[in-house]
């Protein structure tokens, strides 16, 4: 079913052609296709792992960091997990065809606003082969074609994965041109993707802050910005010690490398003598290095002096910045300056302060008395996560399948004209 | 209340500062502020008209076209209409603070998804002073600041309007920095606006296709693409003559200069002998020049031969392109190639064809048996219209006040951490 293609644009055109039929598939057809994809990934495990070993060898020879090698690595268990993730996505309800608004005009014309696929979803990401499978499954479940540009470090692995997926689609009677990779065009592939207005409907970058920044700045295709999280927790004057300690430790330690992990804790001056010592001790016991300002350092042992940079970086590690602020206004001003508008939480028993924080903080998710780790599509009950949007257009916060759809107004009349 | 500002960026920063308080205003406060703005515009009518006369004199001296002069011109009646439009917007329900989703997580954390203002809305538009007032009123009603870049042809008029609006806001106790113009920075003002990521949350271009194209291509701020409409009507084999004639004439003639006016009519070959003659005659009687292919020319008098360009341009005048197609597939293929994804309509009594058209055409509004002129915020019952989005991200089709809001997730817990 695949055609001979020559350029990145040709492949995008093929994806767009295929989107016409993929967008009209029934719920059952999409589900069955994804179950076939899951089977195929399982059945190709050996081939996938062999390609992955090649990628890893190549990476090591080219000085790929150990952390990136770990992200890149697929073993039998990880391949099985990839297939399971596709099955989970297959089991989700169809996001297409929901009636979101309905009204009858005075003239009798009946209007419906329905959810429809975007058409073609582009993805630019780094050395994580799981994104190849995830984003493809999410795009297909929502009736979209997908054009993939993964990192060159995972190129061999991705090629085998895409091949397996396309073969499975073909067997399921689905136009396999719906899944395209432009990995083999290198940076040109990424560039073409960023400028494919009219062919690609939305572009989702996933990866480092730098990659996202590049895509947002360069792309003329609409982008959904995801990811970077300089996440704050404020310990208000009334913060109960137990909540403060448990939430800060959970938010930092449970998975320090992800975007919803806390980076900076701001402590109300009145609560500092009561909270800083035990919270820092609990963090240190969990292996965290605390970077603190002078007030923090005066209230706890083994605090590394914080520099101005500490407030502005996403550690993504067992490091945490801590600062004492004069009051809630001081905390809000710090957050306005340094937040990436991902998630912030306040720990307080003062309802007025909680509500003020919820109203005034301009972030995708604003919490009172909960761990920032809850900012997650799975935790929110979406069943899958496309990413966490930190922009305000179209989607904000954890994105599920619904965020991979657009809308269309349908109007049904009987000859009406406008008066 | 206004501060001394020096650069376009300073003004955008002021708008962003002001957005913090404007975003928290109550429904009543926003309504009262807009009523004060409407009063002020009425009270300043003489000053506005005097500035407008200056702009018109300047425009004539610089060769501004008669059509643009007409768009630019404000007389007493038009100024009164501007003030009335602000009153209408004041009367609309508050789009901020709607609870769009609500769920309690297994841990007991209560989640709410609420509508919030974007923050700062940017607008780039041409010589229409009414856009200055409209977009400012819409932005303020939805709790946003606004940064305006109008055409230089209307610069004096816009300056007086902005001054009147800001004075009224100040008197109403609202931070007048919420309304900023960068007109006096010329093209640099537009450029700064397009690259004000972090200061401006969304940019709405309004005007010619070329202006919109420039903004979409250049801007690193998220853009909502509006406007251009190469709108099609398909006359299916079963199209009743009366519906076909009435709808085509209404869609072309009622207001030919707007984006929802029809540009191209595609006639099913089987219906052509029955429909082309009377539909063309009715159009010609209404003053329309019909540009037709050979089949059309063979079935009607006084048809101008259509060139390939005729399918690809938005006439915005009493010109209409007409083509005979072999069947519904041929119509759909033509639309795929030439549509700007604004509005298309099919005239048919065949339900299966109607539903196929509604499902397959990839446009913001897809109709069966209704005039394309219904694609309008007012007609849809939105009470006001920000523009008509032809993109798929965030908003599609007529945009009301709700489309000038983003969302935010609020999470209220009692010490929960993620397991």
């Amino acid at each position: 079913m695949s055609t001979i293609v020559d350029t990145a644009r040709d492949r995008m055109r093929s994806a767009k052609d295929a989107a016409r039929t993929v967008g009209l598939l029934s719920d059952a057809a999409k589900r069955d296709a994804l179950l076939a994809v899951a089977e195929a990934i399982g059945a190709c495990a050996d081939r996938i792992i062999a390609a992955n070993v090649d990628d890893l060898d190549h990476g090591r020879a080219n000085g790929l960091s150990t952390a990136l090698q770990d992200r890149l690595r697929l073993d039998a268990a990880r391949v099985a997990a990839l297939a399971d993730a596709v099955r989970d996505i297959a089991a989700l309800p169809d996001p297409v065809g929901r009636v979101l608004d309905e009204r009858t005009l005075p003239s009798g014309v009946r209007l419906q606003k329905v959810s429809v696929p975007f058409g073609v979803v582009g993805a630019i990401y780094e050395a994580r082969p799981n994104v190849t499978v995830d984003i493809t499954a999410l795009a297909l479940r929502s009736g979209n074609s997908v054009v993939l540009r993964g990192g060159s470090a995972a190129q061999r692995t991705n090629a085998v994965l895409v091949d397996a997926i396309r073969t499975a689609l073909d067997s399921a009677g689905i136009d396999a041109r719906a899944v395209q990779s432009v990995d083999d065009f290198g940076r040109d592939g990424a560039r073409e993707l960023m400028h494919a207005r009219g062919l690609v409907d939305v572009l989702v970058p996933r990866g480092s802050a730098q990659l996202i920044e590049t895509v947002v700045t360069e792309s003329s295709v609409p982008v959904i910005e995801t990811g970077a999280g300089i996440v704050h927790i404020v310990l208000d004057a009334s913060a109960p010690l137990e909540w403060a300690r448990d939430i800060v430790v959970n938010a930092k330690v449970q998975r320090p490398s992800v975007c919803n992990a806390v980076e900076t804790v701001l402590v109300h001056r009145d609560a500092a003598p009561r909270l800083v010592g035990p919270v820092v001790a609990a963090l240190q016991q969990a292996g965290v290095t605390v970077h603190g300002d002078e007030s923090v350092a005066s209230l706890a042992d083994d605090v590394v002096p914080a520099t101005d940079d500490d407030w502005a970086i996403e550690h993504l590690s067992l490091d945490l910045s801590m600062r004492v602020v004069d009051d809630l206004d001081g905390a809000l001003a710090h957050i306005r300056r340094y937040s990436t508008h991902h998630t912030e939480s306040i720990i307080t028993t003062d309802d007025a302060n909680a509500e003020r924080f919820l109203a005034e903080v301009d972030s995708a998710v604003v919490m009172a008395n909960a761990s920032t780790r809850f900012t997650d599509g799975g935790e929110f009950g979406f069943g899958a996560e496309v990413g966490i949007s930190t922009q305000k257009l179209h989607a904000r916060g954890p994105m599920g399948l619904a965020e991979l759809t657009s809308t269309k107004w349908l109007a049904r009349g009987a000859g009406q004209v406008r008066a």
Side-chain angles (χ1 to χ4, degrees), chain A:
Chain A
M1 186 70 72
S2 59
T3 56
I4 293 165
V5 286
D6 295 309
T7 69
R9 272 193 89 77
D10 286 336
R11 294 192 194 165
M12 293 188 253
R13 248 179 239 117
S14 293
K16 185 174 174 171
D17 276 352
R20 286 167 45 206
T21 53
V22 170
L24 297 173
L25 290 174
S26 70
D27 183 20
K30 288 182 279 195
R31 200 170 47 232
D32 290 349
L34 285 188
L35 293 176
V37 165
E39 281 303 301
I41 289 172
C44 294
D46 290 347
R47 205 150 62 86
I48 294 165
I49 292 167
N52 190 251
V53 166
D54 279 355
D55 274 334
L56 283 165
D57 286 347
H58 195 262
R60 265 187 299 267
N62 287 274
L64 193 70
S65 74
T66 320
L68 284 181
Q69 284 181 44
D70 183 56
R71 287 185 169 197
L72 170 55
R73 180 171 295 110
L74 291 181
D75 52 23
R78 284 187 176 181
V79 172
L82 288 182
D84 284 343
V86 175
R87 285 188 192 96
D88 289 346
I89 292 167
L92 292 174
D94 193 342
V96 170
R98 288 168 298 140
V99 177
L100 304 170
D101 195 349
E102 213 159 4
R103 43 184 80 199
T104 301
L105 306 187
S107 61
V109 172
R110 287 171 299 124
L111 275 185
Q112 280 189 321
K113 184 182 186 180
V114 297
S115 62
V116 296
F118 268 119
V120 180
V121 173
I124 298 188
Y125 52 100
E126 284 164 339
R128 300 176 77 155
N130 62 312
V131 176
T132 305
V133 175
D134 260 13
I135 200 91
T136 300
L138 291 162
L140 292 172
R141 191 67 186 93
S142 47
N144 292 290
S145 287
V146 67
V147 180
L148 303 160
R149 164 63 169 104
S152 56
Q155 195 174 329
R156 294 161 188 82
T157 311
N158 286 339
V160 175
L161 286 169
V162 167
D163 185 55
I165 292 168
R166 292 177 59 143
T167 305
L169 290 179
D170 204 20
S171 307
I174 309 254
D175 190 342
R177 297 177 305 158
V179 178
Q180 299 285 342
S181 161
V182 295
D183 276 5
D184 47 328
F185 298 107
R187 283 177 190 278
D188 284 346
R191 223 174 344 251
E192 292 271 13
L193 197 45
M194 289 190 277
H195 294 283
R197 271 191 71 216
L199 292 177
V200 175
D201 295 288
V202 61
L203 196 50
V204 182
R206 284 184 62 174
S208 68
Q210 197 200 326
L211 172 120
I212 292 165
E213 176 69 21
T214 302
V215 173
V216 169
T217 310
E218 264 202 32
S219 181
S220 55
V221 170
V223 172
I224 298 181
E225 191 172 347
T226 63
I230 298 180
V231 166
H232 298 78
I233 294 178
V234 176
L235 307 183
D236 196 20
S238 65
L241 169 59
E242 197 181 343
W243 289 5
R245 189 177 50 204
D246 292 355
I247 288 174
V248 169
V249 170
N250 179 259
K252 179 76 255 182
V253 174
Q254 202 208 19
R255 206 167 158 210
S257 65
V258 293
C259 59
N260 60 19
V262 66
E263 301 298 349
T264 300
V265 172
L266 302 168
V267 189
H268 192 294
R269 186 165 301 285
D270 296 348
R274 183 170 60 84
L275 298 177
V276 167
V279 171
V280 169
L283 284 164
Q284 289 171 337
Q285 200 170 357
V288 176
T289 302
V290 175
H291 303 244
D293 70 357
E294 281 180 26
S295 300
V296 170
S298 73
L299 292 164
D301 295 330
D302 301 319
V303 169
V304 175
T307 66
D308 276 357
D309 285 349
D310 278 315
W311 317 120
I313 56 163
E314 201 178 355
H315 296 293
L316 295 174
S317 60
L318 285 173
D319 292 83
L320 179 139
S321 312
M322 190 178 291
R323 181 180 207 171
V324 172
V325 292
D326 286 339
D327 49 22
L328 184 51
D329 284 309
L332 291 169
H334 180 103
I335 288 169
R336 267 200 303 281
R337 177 154 179 202
Y338 294 108
S339 167
T340 53
H341 312 291
H342 186 295
T343 302
E344 333 292 337
S345 185
I346 188 170
I347 315 302
T348 187
T349 57
D350 181 327
D351 282 347
N353 282 0
E355 291 306 316
R356 189 182 161 205
F357 189 83
L358 291 168
E360 294 191 21
V361 172
D362 182 26
S363 296
V365 187
V366 192
M367 299 177 167
N369 301 316
S371 170
T372 57
R373 289 278 295 130
F374 283 113
T375 297
D376 176 271
E379 293 291 320
F380 274 30
F382 296 168
E385 184 181 284
V386 178
I388 294 175
S389 164
T390 53
Q391 73 179 37
K392 295 185 186 173
L393 213 63
H394 184 73
R396 200 174 190 203
M399 293 188 287
L401 275 181
E403 279 68 38
L404 285 185
T405 63
S406 179
T407 59
K408 175 158 102 170
W409 287 96
L410 304 179
R412 293 179 178 92
Q416 284 90 345
V417 299
R418 184 161 163 190

